[in-house]
Amino acid sequence: MNPEWRFPSPIQQLTIPVFEKQGIELWIKREDQIHPFISGNKWRKLKYNLSRAKQLGKTTLLTFGGAYSNHLYATAAAAEEFGFSSIGLVRGEPTEILNPTLRFVREKGMQLYYLTRADYRQKETVIAKMGLDRKEIFILPEGGSNEWAIPGCAEIGKEISTQFPALPDYICICCGTGGTAAGLICGMKGAAEVLAFSVLKGDFHQPIIEEFIKAYQIKTQESSLAKLQNWKVNTDYHFGGYARFDSELIDFINRYKDTYDLPLDPIYTGKMFFALEDLAHKQYFKKGTKILAIHTGGLQGIAGFNQRFDNLIKVT
Ligand SMILES: *Cc1c(COP(=O)(O)O)cnc(C)c1O
């Protein structure tokens, strides 16, 4: 692997007054620094999918996403790095000028097709209609979460165990499809409580994560099911739903950048860190608690967000 990769992803301790006051230690695992373009949990999810695709003799990766998708971005970069062609099916209308995310994926050679929202909802059947169900094509689901994604995300947990001889009490992660949280839970094997913060409105993650865990256990023949109860999904910090935000969230993100030099994205990590600070403030965590928050990445999305929303997020 070339020197751009960083494994294990680095950890750092942050000194933040709200946490200090409660006697809480806050650590961050910088998955955003794994690779400049294939960052965070999207690499973890791609890793074993790419080996699977190679093993099956596939030469092209095909996947789906919104016009600002972290997953499309990481897939395009990984495809180029590992010698695959790539195809992206984008939700929505093409625009005259490509946004920064789509410009990047095009530069990485990803071929783009735009699907109407109706077609996007039935994207799996649309693939056949478009003649994209060819045998050289390996299909990754939207967001990259499938059975091959979980073992890669479990490696986050394994790294944590080597980086922290005395494990943290809580390991915190953001939750979209739930694949990353499921993998992390599998990797931790119940040794620390995993708190997953949903960035979507609604309370539906529990059974999805359980399914992913079960599939992993069957695949790896690990049978410590009983021990995998040590996790929770918090649904209180979605800010109105996926990609919704308010000025309080934006101010929070800008304060973390200014004060702690910690860049956060408005879709995922900003919401999780906001939740952690709020929970600390509300004395959810006992004195002496050690928290490890996983920075899952997603920083590529800030450029497109700033273009749409008048540079709300400070980048320097
Ligand atoms: C995709 C993504 C997530 C969500 O991961 P899931 O496995 O879909 O739950 C979290 N954080 C960032 C930065 C992401 O890009």
Side-chain angles (χ1 to χ4, degrees), residues 224-265:
S224 42
L225 236 189
K227 283 196 161 173
L228 292 186
Q229 301 304 317
N230 203 8
W231 56 278
K232 245 189 228 116
V233 181
N234 179 304
T235 57
D236 298 335
Y237 295 95
H238 55 72
F239 286 81
Y242 186 75
R244 301 291 181 93
F245 63 94
D246 63 16
S247 59
E248 205 185 354
L249 179 66
I250 301 300
D251 290 347
F252 176 87
I253 289 171
N254 286 334
R255 176 161 62 83
Y256 266 51
K257 175 72 185 152
D258 272 352
T259 319
Y260 311 115
D261 198 27
L262 183 69
L264 298 171
D265 82 292

Side-chain angles (χ1 to χ4, degrees), residues 16-28:
I16 296 178
V18 185
F19 295 90
E20 291 247 288
K21 222 173 88 194
Q22 309 287 344
I24 298 166
E25 259 183 51
L26 178 65
W27 292 78
I28 304 183

